[in-house]
Amino acid sequence: MIPNRPRYATRLNAFGRKGDTVAEMIAAAAQVGGLDAADLNFPDHFEHHPPAELTRILTDHGMALNGLAMRYYTDPGFRLGAFSHPDPATRRAAIDLTKRGLDALADMGGRLMTLWLGQDGFDYSFQADYERMWDDSIAAIAEIADHNPSIDIAIEYKPNEPRAHVVMPDMATTLLALAEVGRPNTGVTLDFCHMLFAGEMPARAAMLAARKSRILGVHLNDGYGKRDDGLIAGSVHPVQTVELFVALDRAGYDGVIYFDTFPDHGGTDPVGEARANIAATDRLRAIARILAADPALAEAQARQDAAAATRIVMAALYGA
Amino acid sequence: MIPNRPRYATRLNAFGRKGDTVAEMIAAAAQVGGLDAADLNFPDHFEHHPPAELTRILTDHGMALNGLAMRYYTDPGFRLGAFSHPDPATRRAAIDLTKRGLDALADMGGRLMTLWLGQDGFDYSFQADYERMWDDSIAAIAEIADHNPSIDIAIEYKPNEPRAHVVMPDMATTLLALAEVGRPNTGVTLDFCHMLFAGEMPARAAMLAARKSRILGVHLNDGYGKRDDGLIAGSVHPVQTVELFVALDRAGYDGVIYFDTFPDHGGTDPVGEARANIAATDRLRAIARILAADPALAEAQARQDAAAATRIVMAALYGA
Amino acid sequence: MIPNRPRYATRLNAFGRKGDTVAEMIAAAAQVGGLDAADLNFPDHFEHHPPAELTRILTDHGMALNGLAMRYYTDPGFRLGAFSHPDPATRRAAIDLTKRGLDALADMGGRLMTLWLGQDGFDYSFQADYERMWDDSIAAIAEIADHNPSIDIAIEYKPNEPRAHVVMPDMATTLLALAEVGRPNTGVTLDFCHMLFAGEMPARAAMLAARKSRILGVHLNDGYGKRDDGLIAGSVHPVQTVELFVALDRAGYDGVIYFDTFPDHGGTDPVGEARANIAATDRLRAIARILAADPALAEAQARQDAAAATRIVMAALYGA
Amino acid sequence: MIPNRPRYATRLNAFGRKGDTVAEMIAAAAQVGGLDAADLNFPDHFEHHPPAELTRILTDHGMALNGLAMRYYTDPGFRLGAFSHPDPATRRAAIDLTKRGLDALADMGGRLMTLWLGQDGFDYSFQADYERMWDDSIAAIAEIADHNPSIDIAIEYKPNEPRAHVVMPDMATTLLALAEVGRPNTGVTLDFCHMLFAGEMPARAAMLAARKSRILGVHLNDGYGKRDDGLIAGSVHPVQTVELFVALDRAGYDGVIYFDTFPDHGGTDPVGEARANIAATDRLRAIARILAADPALAEAQARQDAAAATRIVMAALYGA
C-alpha cells in the first residue's frame, strides 16, 4: 500500500501565542517540515480571513486543507449545549452555524467536517431529559449531513470536559447514534487520548468503527488515560499506538494523521514537539507494517497467547 | 402503578460461609425478611441439588425464582474466554453449558437467564483478533437465545475484571451487540456499580437500554466508581439511585431488584446488610415517585436548570 | 459550638461575565444573601483596584476578606512551573510575585494566603529532575512563610490539571512537604473535589491534615471523582460531605467554607447555584452535628459495623 | 556497577494449578531459567513444609530466598482488618502471626519481610475511626520491626482491593506512616501496577521513597492504571519502566526484581510469561543505563524540555 498523501496535520493553535493570527500559526507550523495538511476551526480561524484567503495561505505554505472542525464552546450561548440545548432557538443557531461552516468548507474544496460536541451534555442527575437530548442530537446531525452530502461529517467523541457527562462519550455510543442518523456521509474521528480516557483499547475501538460506520479522521497524541493529556504520540503507549496503526491499515484508512497535542499547556516548543510527533509516528507505523505481516504473531493471536504475542511485539518495538 | 411482586432478591453467596450449601444460604437469606425472590448460579448452585429440589427449597422459604446466572469463571478452561475463546471446542463447551442452564431454568419454570461474560476479553494489545471475538460472541448469544425462545437472555456488562478489557464493557457496546444478535428474547441487566465503573450516569444508561433493547434485570449496589465495590444501595450515590428509579419507572420496568452487594468482602453481617439495602431502596423509590410527579422539577429539567433541579432533589432527599 | 463568623465565601469568578470587573463580581455575589466573606485572586483581581479600594468594596457589600489566592497560571512564563521552574529567574519571579501578594494581603488586614501550585509538575517521564523540583518547592514555600509570619500559607493540592503530574497531588504528599518546610504558619486547604479526584475519603484526609499540620481552608463542591467537576456541594456525595463536616468539627476548624464551584462551565445561574450551595451546606452541617452526638453511631464505628453505621447515617440523612 | 545477584524472583502462585504444593511451584518456576530467587508467603506456603525443608527445596532448584510476604487475607478473621482491626484480640492475632513469620524467616536466614496490608481499610464513610486505625497500624508495625531488628520490614502499599479504601494507599501516606513508626529496619516495596493505580509516576515515587525511607523491594509488572492488572513487565508502559530503573540505580537499589504478574488470571502459560518478564527487564535496564549516562538527556531535563527529552528516550527505546 502506498502511504496516503497528504499525511500529517497538526493542531494549529499549538503554534499560537496570544494575538497570533491563523496566518502566523500556519507559517509557524510550516517550519516544522513534514506537515502537509491542516485543519481549520470554524468560526474562530475565519474571523480575520475569508475562505479564499485561507486557501491561498495554506497553499503558499505547501499545505492541503484536511477539513474544518466546528468550535461551539467559544460562544457562551452554547454553554448548556449546541445540538442538544434545551432552547430550540439555540439548537437552531448551532445547526445554522455548522451549515455556514460546511459552506465555507465547500468554498475551499474540502470534504471533511469534524464535530466535537463537547458542550452537549449535563453535569447533574435530574438536570436533563436524556431522551430529548438524544433525539435532538440525532436530528441535528442528520440535518447537517443532508446539507451537503458531498461532505463527510465526522463525530469526535470524548468522555467529558467541559461537561461532566456528554451525549456521545465513547465509540459505541457514537456508533449507536450514527446508526440512528442513518446517513452515508457520516463517520467517526478517532482521538487516541479520548479513547484511552474512555477506557477503550484504541485498536479495538477502531475495529468497531470500521465495522459499524467509517473512520473519517485520526487524532494522534498520548496520555495517561485519566484525562485528555495531549502528549506526544508514542510517548506513553507505543504498543497501543502500533496496534492502532495495524487496525487502521486493516480498515483501509488512508486519511490524514492529525497531531492533537498540547505543547502550549506545558510550555513546550511546538516545533520540536511536532517533529517528535512525526518521528514517532513514522517509526511506529513502520513497526506496525512489520508486525501485520508476521505469521508468528498471527499464529499467537489465533491462540490468544499473550506471552508469545507480547514477546514478538516487544522484540519488534524495542529489541527485548 | 402497583409495585411489582416479587420485589427483592439478593446475592445468595453473601450468606455463604466456607462450606455452606445453597440450601443453607437460602435459609439464611430468608431470615432477612423482605427478600421474596432469588437468583441461582449455574452450575455452582446445582452441584448438590437437582432443579426440583431447589424449587422446593425456595418455596419452603417463601421465595420465587427470579432466574439463573451463568458462572463460567469457576472453570479454569474458560480463563481465556467462554463465547469468544480462541478454541472452537471451548466455545462449544461454554454454549452447551449455557444450554444445560437454560434447560434447568425451564425445569424450574423460570424465564430469565443472566449472562455476565467476564472472561470474554483480553489483557494485552496484540493478544486477540477483536473482530473474531466479536463475531463469535454474537453468534453464541444468538444460538443461546434460539435454544428456548420463551426464556429471556440478559447481558450484564462490566468494564473489566477479571480480564483487563472485555468484549462488552458498557451499555452502548452491549446494545450494539444485541442489535447484531437480533433476537427479541434478549436484553440487558443493569448493575449500578458496573454503570458507575463504566463512567455512565445510570439513569441515562437505562434510557438507552429501554430505547434500543429491553431492561431485563436490575442489580442494585453502590460504590466509588473505580471498581465493582458492591456496597449497600444508596450508601454513596443516593441521588443517582433515585434518578435510576425514575428512569426504571418511566421504562415500565416491573422486575425484581437484586442486591448485588459484597458484605463478605469486608466482614459485614449479611442479614443487617440486606436489611439496609431494603430500607434504602424502599425509601429512595418513594422519593423517586414524588420527584417523577413534581411539575417544578419537570420544568427545571426542560430548561436544563441545574441549580433549580438540584434544589428540588436535595429538598426531597434530605430537606435542604 | 457557636458557628464561625464569617461563614461562607464563594468563587467570585463564577459571577463574572466577559469584561466584568471584580467590583461587579462582588456586587453580584452580594445578591446571593448569606455570603459574608470573599477570597480575591492575586494578581488578577488587583489589576484595576488598589488593596484599599478592594477592602472598601467588600465592606460596602457586607463581606469580610477571607484571604488571597495566588494565580500563577495566567502568566505564560509560569507554564513550566512556578516554584519548581527549571530557570532560577522564573522561580524568583514566582516567589517575588507571591511576596507582593502577601504585602497586599497584609495591607488589607488579611491572614490567609492560599497557594495552588497547579503549574508545578511535569507531563512526561524523563522530563524533569524530581528531586530538584521537590527541593525548590520546599525552599520557596519556606521563604514565603518567612516573609510575613503573621500570615498563614495554605497549600491547596490537586492531582493534576493543567499538568499531567504535579509536585503536590494529594494530602499525604503535601504533608510530607510541609514537614520539610517546617514553618508553623503553614497548612493545608482542603478542596472536596480535589480529594475525590485524588481517590481520598475526604474525612480521612482531613484527619491526616489535622494530625500532621493545620487545616487552614475548606473549598466545598462536589463531583464524580474523575476530575475537578466543581458541582454544587452535596449534590453527588452528601454522605461524604456530612462525614467531612464531622471531621472538621472534631478538628476544631472554625474558618470559612468557600464554595469552589463552576456554574459558569455549564451555563448555570450563579446566584441560584450559590444559594443551593448554602442550603445544602447548612443542612448537611446540621446532620453532621446530630451524627457526631449519636452514641449508637459511635458504638457501630467502634465495631467497624458497616451495616449498622450506614443505617444510622441513611436514617439521619434521608429517612431510610 | 555490577548487577546485583540474585536478580530475579517471581510470584510462585502463578505456577500453581489447583492442588499444587509449594515444592511443585518452585520446581515449575525453576524451569523458566533466569529466576534465581523466590519469595514465600506466610503462612500459606509453610502449611505442608517446615522452614528447613523449604530452604532445601529452594537450594535444590538454585534459588535463594528473597524473603517472606505475609498473607492475612486468607483468614476470614482478618476481613475487617489485621493491624487496624477494631477488636484488640484480632490485632494481637495479626501481630503474633507476623512474628511467627519473622521467626520462620530468621530460621531460613532471610532478611526481608514484606507486608501488604490490604485488609486494613474501610468501605464506607462513618464505618471507622480513622485516627484509631492509623494509631494501631503504626503501633503494630513498630512492634513487628522491634521483634527482630536484623530483619527489614517492607510496606507494600496499594490503593485498594479488597477494601474500597485502605490505611496506606500510596507512597506518600506510607512514608508519613513510616516516619511515625521511626524504626531504621523499615522501608517500602514498590509495586509498579500499584504505583500506576495510585496515579503515581513510578520513578518519582521511587525518589520520594529513597529520600524519606528505604526501597526494600521492587515488584515489577504492568497494567493500564485502573486496577492491579499484573501484566508482563514493559508490555504497556516501557518508558515509565525504564525511568523507574534509572531511579532505582540512582537510589543504589541492589535488591531483587520480583515479577508480580498474574498469568493465571488470563490463562497464560506461566513459563513463557516469566521469560517475557525477564527479557523485557534485561532490555529495559540496559536502556536505562544508556539513558542515565546521556549528557544530552541530562541537559534536556535541566531545561525541563519535554520534546527534546522525549526524542532522546524514543530514540533509545525504539529508534524514533
Side-chain angles (χ1 to χ4, degrees):
Chain A
M1 185 167 114
I2 297 160
N4 52 298
R5 291 278 183 283
R7 298 187 307 165
Y8 294 133
T10 200
R11 184 173 155 258
L12 286 178
N13 286 355
F15 291 86
R17 290 179 305 273
K18 206 166 184 159
D20 278 0
T21 66
V22 66
E24 290 166 326
M25 292 191 282
I26 291 169
Q31 294 170 23
V32 170
L35 297 174
D36 46 15
D39 285 70
L40 298 176
N41 295 341
F42 189 89
D44 320 31
H45 288 164
F46 290 72
E47 201 179 347
H48 301 296
H49 311 277
E53 189 178 330
L54 288 168
T55 299
R56 187 186 53 73
I57 294 168
L58 288 173
T59 307
D60 286 354
H61 289 93
M63 290 188 191
L65 178 72
N66 183 42
L68 301 191
M70 291 301 299
R71 285 293 173 266
Y72 306 104
Y73 59 85
T74 49
D75 183 335
F78 295 131
R79 278 192 186 156
L80 259 182
F83 294 173
S84 71
H85 195 285
D87 181 351
T90 307
R91 291 201 296 275
R92 176 52 42 203
I95 293 169
D96 289 348
L97 180 68
T98 309
K99 288 181 178 177
R100 288 198 297 278
L102 290 172
D103 294 344
L105 177 60
D107 286 350
M108 298 176 75
R111 299 279 311 264
L112 178 65
M113 171 61 86
T114 303
L115 305 182
W116 166 47
L117 301 167
Q119 293 299 136
D120 287 287
F122 50 93
D123 297 312
Y124 295 87
S125 282
F126 289 103
Q127 180 179 1
D129 180 335
Y130 304 127
E131 189 136 32
R132 187 208 49 77
M133 291 177 78
W134 181 265
D135 286 336
D136 284 338
S137 298
I138 301 297
I141 296 171
E143 180 176 343
I144 283 158
D146 290 343
H147 180 71
N148 185 341
S150 67
I151 292 179
D152 282 331
I153 307 297
I155 306 296
E156 181 183 353
Y157 63 86
K158 185 178 169 186
N160 49 33
E161 192 205 0
R163 311 306 298 276
H165 288 270
V166 296
V167 174
M168 274 175 268
D170 52 29
M171 178 60 81
T173 311
T174 304
L175 294 174
L176 280 179
L178 290 178
E180 276 201 47
V181 167
R183 298 299 192 277
N185 60 324
T186 58
V188 185
T189 284
L190 314 181
D191 183 291
F192 194 82
C193 267
H194 298 186
M195 295 190 283
L196 294 177
F197 193 9
E200 296 171 348
M201 185 64 91
R204 138 111 178 174
M207 178 280 288
L208 280 179
R211 182 186 180 100
K212 300 283 186 187
S213 176
R214 298 159 64 213
I215 301 174
L216 295 176
V218 175
H219 287 194
L220 212 62
N221 43 40
D222 213 332
Y224 303 99
K226 302 197 167 176
R227 53 174 209 139
D228 188 21
D229 290 301
L231 305 186
I232 294 168
S235 63
V236 183
H237 291 92
V239 177
Q240 282 65 46
T241 306
V242 170
E243 195 192 29
L244 175 61
F245 283 127
V246 172
L248 291 173
D249 284 346
R250 189 169 299 167
Y253 179 74
D254 194 37
V256 161
I257 301 294
Y258 172 92
F259 300 117
D260 199 353
T261 51
F262 313 149
D264 38 334
H265 289 199
T268 302
D269 164 47
V271 172
E273 202 250 11
R275 288 176 183 156
N277 278 321
I278 292 171
T281 303
D282 279 342
R283 175 72 179 134
L284 296 176
R285 288 176 106 168
I287 294 172
R289 282 163 184 160
I290 292 167
L291 287 174
D294 186 334
L297 179 57
E299 201 209 344
Q301 282 186 341
R303 298 190 313 270
Q304 235 153 289
D305 182 335
T310 298
R311 282 296 294 272
I312 292 167
V313 171
M314 297 193 308
L317 184 67
Y318 56 77
Chain B
M1 186 167 112
I2 297 162
N4 51 298
R5 292 276 183 284
R7 298 187 306 166
Y8 293 133
T10 200
R11 183 172 155 260
L12 287 178
N13 286 355
F15 292 86
R17 288 181 305 274
K18 205 165 186 162
D20 278 1
T21 66
V22 66
E24 290 167 327
M25 292 192 281
I26 291 169
Q31 294 170 23
V32 170
L35 297 174
D36 46 15
D39 286 70
L40 298 176
N41 295 339
F42 189 88
D44 319 31
H45 288 164
F46 290 72
E47 201 180 348
H48 301 297
H49 310 277
E53 189 179 327
L54 287 169
T55 299
R56 188 186 53 72
I57 294 168
L58 287 173
T59 306
D60 287 354
H61 289 93
M63 290 188 191
L65 179 72
N66 182 44
L68 300 192
M70 291 301 300
R71 286 293 174 265
Y72 306 104
Y73 59 85
T74 48
D75 183 335
F78 295 131
R79 278 192 186 155
L80 258 183
F83 294 172
S84 70
H85 195 285
D87 181 352
T90 305
R91 292 201 297 274
R92 178 52 43 202
I95 292 170
D96 289 347
L97 179 68
T98 309
K99 289 181 177 177
R100 287 199 297 279
L102 290 171
D103 293 344
L105 177 59
D107 286 350
M108 297 177 75
R111 300 277 311 264
L112 179 64
M113 171 60 86
T114 303
L115 305 183
W116 167 48
L117 301 168
Q119 295 299 136
D120 286 289
F122 51 94
D123 296 312
Y124 295 87
S125 282
F126 289 103
Q127 180 179 3
D129 179 336
Y130 304 127
E131 189 135 33
R132 188 209 48 77
M133 291 178 78
W134 180 265
D135 287 335
D136 284 337
S137 298
I138 302 296
I141 296 171
E143 180 175 344
I144 283 158
D146 290 342
H147 180 71
N148 186 341
S150 68
I151 292 179
D152 281 333
I153 307 297
I155 305 296
E156 181 184 354
Y157 63 86
K158 185 178 170 186
N160 49 34
E161 192 204 358
R163 309 306 299 276
H165 288 270
V166 297
V167 174
M168 274 175 269
D170 51 30
M171 178 61 80
T173 311
T174 304
L175 294 173
L176 279 180
L178 289 178
E180 276 200 48
V181 167
R183 299 299 193 276
N185 61 323
T186 59
V188 185
T189 283
L190 314 181
D191 183 291
F192 193 82
C193 267
H194 298 186
M195 294 191 282
L196 294 178
F197 192 11
E200 298 170 346
M201 185 64 91
R204 138 110 179 174
M207 178 280 288
L208 279 179
R211 181 185 181 101
K212 300 282 186 188
S213 176
R214 299 158 64 213
I215 301 174
L216 295 176
V218 175
H219 287 195
L220 213 62
N221 43 40
D222 214 332
Y224 303 99
K226 302 197 169 177
R227 53 174 209 139
D228 188 21
D229 290 302
L231 305 186
I232 294 168
S235 62
V236 183
H237 291 92
V239 177
Q240 282 65 45
T241 306
V242 170
E243 195 191 28
L244 175 61
F245 283 128
V246 172
L248 291 174
D249 284 347
R250 188 168 299 166
Y253 179 73
D254 194 38
V256 162
I257 301 294
Y258 172 93
F259 300 117
D260 199 354
T261 51
F262 313 149
D264 38 333
H265 290 198
T268 303
D269 163 47
V271 172
E273 201 251 11
R275 287 176 182 155
N277 277 322
I278 292 171
T281 303
D282 279 343
R283 176 70 179 134
L284 296 177
R285 288 175 105 169
I287 294 173
R289 281 160 185 162
I290 291 168
L291 288 174
D294 186 335
L297 179 57
E299 201 208 345
Q301 281 186 341
R303 297 189 313 270
Q304 234 152 289
D305 183 334
T310 299
R311 282 297 293 273
I312 292 167
V313 171
M314 297 194 307
L317 183 68
Y318 56 77
Chain C
M1 184 167 114
I2 297 161
N4 51 298
R5 292 277 183 284
R7 297 186 309 165
Y8 294 133
T10 200
R11 184 174 154 258
L12 287 178
N13 286 355
F15 292 86
R17 289 181 305 273
K18 206 165 183 160
D20 279 1
T21 66
V22 67
E24 290 167 327
M25 293 192 280
I26 290 168
Q31 293 170 22
V32 170
L35 296 174
D36 47 13
D39 285 70
L40 298 175
N41 295 341
F42 190 89
D44 319 32
H45 289 165
F46 289 73
E47 201 178 348
H48 301 296
H49 311 276
E53 189 179 328
L54 288 168
T55 299
R56 187 187 53 73
I57 294 168
L58 288 173
T59 307
D60 287 353
H61 289 93
M63 290 188 190
L65 179 71
N66 182 44
L68 300 191
M70 291 301 299
R71 286 292 173 267
Y72 306 105
Y73 59 85
T74 48
D75 184 334
F78 296 131
R79 279 192 184 154
L80 259 184
F83 294 172
S84 71
H85 195 284
D87 181 351
T90 306
R91 291 200 298 275
R92 176 52 44 204
I95 293 169
D96 289 347
L97 180 67
T98 309
K99 289 181 177 177
R100 288 198 296 278
L102 290 172
D103 294 344
L105 177 60
D107 286 350
M108 297 177 75
R111 300 278 311 264
L112 178 65
M113 172 60 86
T114 303
L115 306 182
W116 167 47
L117 302 168
Q119 295 299 136
D120 286 289
F122 49 94
D123 297 311
Y124 295 87
S125 281
F126 288 104
Q127 179 178 5
D129 179 336
Y130 305 126
E131 190 135 32
R132 186 208 52 75
M133 290 178 79
W134 181 266
D135 287 335
D136 284 337
S137 298
I138 301 296
I141 297 171
E143 180 176 345
I144 283 158
D146 290 342
H147 180 72
N148 186 341
S150 68
I151 292 180
D152 281 332
I153 307 297
I155 306 296
E156 181 184 354
Y157 63 86
K158 185 178 171 187
N160 49 34
E161 191 204 1
R163 310 306 299 275
H165 288 270
V166 297
V167 174
M168 275 174 268
D170 52 30
M171 177 61 81
T173 311
T174 305
L175 294 173
L176 279 180
L178 289 178
E180 276 200 49
V181 167
R183 299 300 193 276
N185 60 324
T186 58
V188 184
T189 283
L190 314 181
D191 182 291
F192 194 82
C193 267
H194 298 187
M195 294 190 282
L196 294 178
F197 193 11
E200 297 171 347
M201 184 64 91
R204 139 110 177 172
M207 179 282 288
L208 280 179
R211 181 185 180 102
K212 300 284 187 187
S213 177
R214 299 158 65 212
I215 301 173
L216 295 177
V218 174
H219 287 195
L220 213 62
N221 45 39
D222 213 333
Y224 303 99
K226 302 197 169 178
R227 52 174 211 139
D228 188 21
D229 290 302
L231 304 186
I232 294 168
S235 64
V236 183
H237 291 93
V239 177
Q240 282 66 45
T241 306
V242 171
E243 195 191 30
L244 175 61
F245 284 128
V246 172
L248 291 173
D249 284 346
R250 189 168 298 166
Y253 178 74
D254 194 37
V256 161
I257 301 294
Y258 172 92
F259 301 117
D260 199 354
T261 51
F262 314 149
D264 39 333
H265 290 198
T268 303
D269 163 47
V271 171
E273 202 251 11
R275 288 177 182 156
N277 277 323
I278 293 171
T281 303
D282 279 343
R283 176 69 179 136
L284 297 176
R285 288 176 105 168
I287 294 172
R289 280 160 186 162
I290 291 167
L291 287 174
D294 185 336
L297 179 57
E299 201 209 343
Q301 281 186 342
R303 298 190 312 269
Q304 235 152 288
D305 183 335
T310 299
R311 282 297 293 272
I312 292 167
V313 172
M314 297 194 306
L317 183 66
Y318 57 77
Chain D
M1 184 167 113
I2 296 161
N4 51 300
R5 292 276 182 283
R7 298 187 307 165
Y8 294 133
T10 201
R11 185 173 154 258
L12 286 178
N13 286 355
F15 292 85
R17 290 179 306 272
K18 206 163 184 163
D20 278 1
T21 66
V22 66
E24 289 166 327
M25 293 191 281
I26 291 169
Q31 293 170 22
V32 170
L35 297 174
D36 47 14
D39 285 70
L40 299 175
N41 295 341
F42 190 88
D44 319 32
H45 289 163
F46 290 72
E47 201 180 346
H48 301 297
H49 311 276
E53 189 179 329
L54 287 168
T55 299
R56 188 187 51 72
I57 293 168
L58 287 173
T59 306
D60 287 354
H61 289 93
M63 290 188 191
L65 179 72
N66 182 44
L68 300 192
M70 290 301 301
R71 286 293 174 264
Y72 306 104
Y73 59 84
T74 49
D75 184 333
F78 295 130
R79 279 192 186 156
L80 259 183
F83 294 172
S84 70
H85 195 284
D87 180 352
T90 306
R91 291 201 297 275
R92 177 53 43 204
I95 293 169
D96 289 348
L97 179 68
T98 309
K99 288 181 177 177
R100 288 197 298 278
L102 290 171
D103 294 344
L105 177 60
D107 285 351
M108 297 177 75
R111 300 278 312 263
L112 178 65
M113 171 61 85
T114 303
L115 304 183
W116 167 47
L117 301 168
Q119 295 299 136
D120 287 289
F122 51 94
D123 297 312
Y124 295 87
S125 281
F126 288 104
Q127 179 178 4
D129 179 336
Y130 304 127
E131 189 136 33
R132 186 208 50 75
M133 289 178 79
W134 180 265
D135 286 336
D136 284 338
S137 298
I138 302 296
I141 297 171
E143 181 176 344
I144 283 158
D146 290 342
H147 180 72
N148 186 339
S150 69
I151 292 179
D152 282 332
I153 307 296
I155 305 295
E156 181 184 354
Y157 63 87
K158 185 179 170 185
N160 49 34
E161 191 204 2
R163 308 307 299 276
H165 288 271
V166 297
V167 174
M168 274 174 269
D170 52 30
M171 178 60 81
T173 311
T174 304
L175 294 174
L176 280 180
L178 290 177
E180 277 200 48
V181 166
R183 298 300 193 276
N185 60 324
T186 58
V188 185
T189 283
L190 314 181
D191 182 291
F192 194 82
C193 267
H194 298 187
M195 294 191 282
L196 294 178
F197 193 10
E200 298 170 347
M201 185 62 92
R204 139 108 178 176
M207 178 281 288
L208 280 179
R211 181 185 180 101
K212 300 283 186 186
S213 176
R214 298 158 65 211
I215 302 173
L216 295 176
V218 174
H219 287 195
L220 212 61
N221 44 39
D222 213 332
Y224 302 100
K226 302 197 167 177
R227 54 174 210 139
D228 188 21
D229 290 301
L231 304 186
I232 293 168
S235 63
V236 183
H237 291 92
V239 177
Q240 282 66 43
T241 306
V242 170
E243 195 192 29
L244 175 61
F245 284 127
V246 172
L248 291 173
D249 285 346
R250 189 168 298 166
Y253 179 73
D254 194 38
V256 162
I257 301 294
Y258 172 92
F259 301 117
D260 199 352
T261 52
F262 313 150
D264 38 335
H265 290 200
T268 302
D269 164 47
V271 171
E273 202 250 11
R275 287 176 183 157
N277 278 322
I278 293 171
T281 303
D282 279 343
R283 176 70 179 134
L284 296 176
R285 288 176 106 168
I287 294 172
R289 281 163 185 159
I290 291 167
L291 287 174
D294 186 335
L297 179 57
E299 202 209 344
Q301 282 187 340
R303 298 190 312 269
Q304 235 153 287
D305 182 335
T310 299
R311 283 296 294 273
I312 293 167
V313 171
M314 297 194 307
L317 183 66
Y318 56 76

